[in-house]
Amino acid sequence: MLSIILLSYYSKGRIAEAYRKVSAVMDKEGITFEFIVVDDGSEDDSYAMALELEKSHPNVRAYQLSRNYTSNYAVFAGLSLCSGKCATFIPDDEQLPYAKLVEMYMIWEAG
């Protein structure tokens, strides 16, 4: 299983769309994945949105840091919580093409 950690900071309007797009790419390739949202102390409704997503999708887990610790700590938190044999993190701004996740996973899987 691939663990995908979404680094969230004031991401309320982007979390569901990121999940939808990641899920479409992973499902197309047949890759089992978990989607972990680590909210880095946002003061908007990002965490609430992540919790709603968690309720509707069994492969989503939502966590919130007690304050903004910066992305390095959010990465560490996500890696501490994930259960996949392979893990990666993505920013909430959709700058990383999700097809790259598949490419990287396939390279990892090949050894």
Side-chain angles (χ1 to χ4, degrees):
M1 178 172 57
L2 173 61
S3 296
I4 300 172
I5 302 160
L6 178 75
L7 305 176
S8 168
Y9 188 63
Y10 287 88
S11 309
K12 166 178 109 170
R14 296 184 299 272
I15 294 171
E17 185 66 9
Y19 175 78
R20 186 187 69 72
K21 289 179 179 178
V22 166
S23 185
V25 170
M26 295 298 135
D27 290 349
K28 179 181 174 192
E29 296 296 329
I31 299 171
T32 302
F33 73 102
E34 66 178 345
F35 192 79
I36 299 174
V37 180
V38 178
D39 180 66
D40 193 11
S42 303
E43 294 180 1
D44 65 353
D45 290 329
S46 296
Y47 181 59
M49 173 58 71
L51 286 174
E52 285 300 313
L53 197 63
E54 180 182 70
K55 287 178 188 173
S56 11
H57 301 282
N59 65 332
V60 176
R61 296 190 339 217
Y63 299 94
Q64 184 180 44
L65 301 180
S66 61
R67 66 177 178 84
N68 178 246
Y69 286 95
T70 71
S71 61
N72 292 333
Y73 289 96
V75 167
F76 181 75
L79 290 172
S80 299
L81 298 164
C82 69
S83 57
K85 292 189 183 241
C86 180
T88 189
F89 56 91
I90 59 174
D92 65 359
D93 61 6
E94 297 193 68
Q95 292 299 305
L96 174 71
Y98 297 132
K100 284 291 178 192
L101 296 174
V102 172
E103 184 180 328
M104 291 185 297
Y105 180 75
M106 295 297 186
I107 292 169
W108 173 82
E109 197 172 49

